[in-house]
Amino acid sequence: LALVLTACSKEKSEEHEQASAEDHAENATVVTLTTQQLSNIRLEIARVKESSVPISLTLPGKVMLNERRRTEITARLSGRVDKVSAFAGERVAAGQMLAQIFSQDFLTMQMEYLQAAERAQRLGGENNDQSTAKTILLSARKKLEVVGLSETDLRQLETAKEPMGFLPVRAPFASAVLNTEIVQGQFVELGAHLFEIADLSTLWVLAD
């Protein structure tokens, strides 16, 4: 009985496939070409597959600054602009001095740092007072780093044991000065815009 059922099922399957093929043939459009026609149209046959197709586009757009290499430099302390060393259109190197600002707050920060360094050195050893002194020293150092002093500036301050007269404003990376909004003798508040700079070695093109 099993053999009979299997044979019947196989026959029905073959009949179904044959019927489907006949229906498809009736609905399909068949194009027959001669050898000469195939040669003329240069017919090529290939397996269907996914691939990338390069497409050339001509689009309107505009050249823009690389926003990852553009920055605005603001005053990190209030004070009087003593000197301006860079102006719009000039190229500056990384770390180059752009301006100097006289700030009473900057002088106070430096004195606090020198006093904290002296106290930490005087106490020495490992005790509660020394631990407190180190914490105060690190805090005073962090303040100077935040306003823009480099490791070289801090070493110079520790060696000279005298506060620097002016807060240096330096370029964070090699760039071009796009605009300058300060002049010598001007008083600036905390957060005031000083310079806008950008690295022009790479640019963006924004295509519509």
Side-chain angles (χ1 to χ4, degrees):
L1 179 60
L3 291 174
V4 172
L5 290 176
T6 302
C8 291
S9 176
K10 183 176 181 182
E11 289 176 0
K12 290 181 180 179
S13 177
E14 291 176 351
E15 290 175 358
H16 177 72
E17 291 178 359
Q18 184 176 358
S20 297
E22 290 175 354
D23 291 341
H24 179 71
E26 289 177 0
N27 296 327
T29 301
V30 179
V31 179
T32 304
L33 301 175
T34 65
T35 304
Q36 183 62 34
Q37 289 172 328
L38 289 174
S39 176
N40 291 339
I41 68 174
R42 298 178 182 178
L43 179 67
E44 294 184 5
I45 299 175
R47 289 184 176 274
V48 176
K49 62 180 181 179
E50 291 185 359
S51 62
S52 298
V53 180
I55 300 175
S56 299
L57 297 176
T58 301
L59 301 172
K62 57 184 178 181
V63 179
M64 301 179 60
L65 296 173
N66 182 346
E67 293 298 330
R68 293 193 178 95
R69 299 289 291 172
R70 172 182 172 272
T71 187
E72 291 191 5
I73 299 176
T74 58
R76 300 188 180 185
L77 290 173
S78 59
R80 186 189 73 250
V81 178
D82 182 75
K83 183 179 180 180
V84 180
S85 304
F87 300 90
E90 295 183 352
R91 299 293 183 103
V92 293
Q96 182 175 329
M97 187 83 68
L98 303 179
Q100 292 180 337
I101 297 176
F102 173 80
S103 170
Q104 188 62 47
D105 293 336
F106 180 52
L107 294 177
T108 301
M109 287 181 179
Q110 293 180 89
M111 290 303 301
E112 290 176 352
Y113 178 71
L114 291 174
Q115 292 170 3
E118 181 182 356
R119 184 167 184 265
Q121 185 177 6
R122 184 176 65 251
L123 290 176
E126 292 292 338
N127 52 53
N128 291 337
D129 290 341
Q130 172 65 6
S131 178
T132 302
K134 284 184 177 180
T135 301
I136 295 174
L137 176 61
L138 289 175
S139 176
R141 181 187 181 90
K142 189 64 178 177
K143 289 180 181 179
L144 292 174
E145 290 175 347
V146 168
V147 299
L149 288 197
S150 64
E151 186 66 30
T152 302
D153 294 329
L154 291 170
R155 285 199 299 267
Q156 180 181 344
L157 178 61
E158 293 169 358
T159 302
K161 298 187 183 304
E162 291 184 1
M164 300 166 57
F166 302 98
L167 173 65
V169 179
R170 295 189 174 94
F173 49 82
S175 54
V177 180
L178 301 183
N179 66 65
T180 308
E181 296 191 8
I182 53 172
V183 294
Q184 185 173 339
Q186 176 184 347
F187 185 86
V188 293
E189 296 288 353
L190 174 66
H193 178 84
L194 304 179
F195 299 92
E196 181 183 5
I197 65 173
D199 180 5
L200 302 183
S201 62
T202 60
L203 296 172
W204 288 356
V205 174
L206 181 62
D208 297 329

